[in-house]
Amino acid sequence: MDFELTPEQRRWRDLAREFAQGSIRPRAAALDRAQEVPYDILAEMARLGLLGLTLPEQHGGSGGDFIAY
């Protein structure tokens, strides 16, 4: 059995990591304290394709698989 990620799976992983480190991490503690929903962060995640990752592209998703998710 091959447990290596595909190039596409690595791309999604790297995108999610970079986004989390750059956009979420700096604000996470303040958002938790304020108990706020960061709609701007959710909108950016949607724009990047992270929210619809496992949905087929023909249905508005990103066409990724569950390993990438």
Side-chain angles (χ1 to χ4, degrees):
M1 210 170 192
D2 183 11
F3 290 103
E4 291 295 318
L5 297 177
T6 67
E8 184 71 9
Q9 290 165 340
R10 284 193 300 273
R11 186 182 76 76
W12 284 114
R13 178 202 58 198
D14 295 345
L15 175 66
R17 179 180 291 138
E18 289 170 18
F19 180 76
Q21 293 294 324
S23 297
I24 297 172
R25 186 177 189 182
R27 296 175 51 197
L31 289 167
D32 285 348
R33 280 191 301 275
Q35 297 182 1
E36 294 178 0
V37 176
Y39 291 107
D40 60 317
I41 290 176
L42 291 173
E44 183 64 12
M45 289 175 69
R47 189 189 71 74
L48 292 171
L50 294 169
L51 295 185
L53 187 59
T54 59
L55 297 174
E57 290 179 16
Q58 66 265 28
H59 297 296
S62 300
D65 60 21
F66 280 91
I67 300 295
Y69 179 68

